[in-house]
Amino acid sequence: MNNLGLPKNYFSVSRQDYLKQILVLTQAESSVSTLRLAEALQVKPASVTMMLKRLAELGLVNHVPY
């Protein structure tokens, strides 16, 4: 457990990267598409979709599929 009472791997490096990039992109846009996030992170859109589903399950983002 960490200081927030969450499991140690709750904020993995990968999750942190996605969350940071979402924060950066939402400074200029109200929402971020999976394609835009994929371009920013230099990963495939399918990878973004999978991670967004995980982050949404954890309550860290709101993911609205098309």
Side-chain angles (χ1 to χ4, degrees), residues 9 13 15 21-22 29 31 47-48 55 61 63:
N9 66 347
V13 173
R15 288 180 186 159
Q21 194 60 55
I22 290 168
E29 310 166 32
S31 63
S47 298
V48 171
L55 293 173
V61 299
H63 178 239

Side-chain angles (χ1 to χ4, degrees), residues 13-62:
V13 173
S14 181
R15 288 180 186 159
Q16 289 179 46
D17 290 343
Y18 275 80
L19 292 169
K20 286 176 191 175
Q21 194 60 55
I22 290 168
L23 179 64
V24 167
L25 294 173
T26 56
Q27 299 299 309
E29 310 166 32
S30 61
S31 63
V32 179
S33 70
T34 54
L35 181 59
R36 179 71 185 101
L37 190 53
E39 290 170 351
L41 292 168
Q42 299 180 350
V43 297
K44 294 182 180 185
S47 298
V48 171
T49 299
M50 288 175 44
M51 179 59 84
L52 288 177
K53 287 180 181 179
R54 285 189 212 126
L55 293 173
E57 289 172 358
L58 294 170
L60 298 172
V61 299
N62 290 324

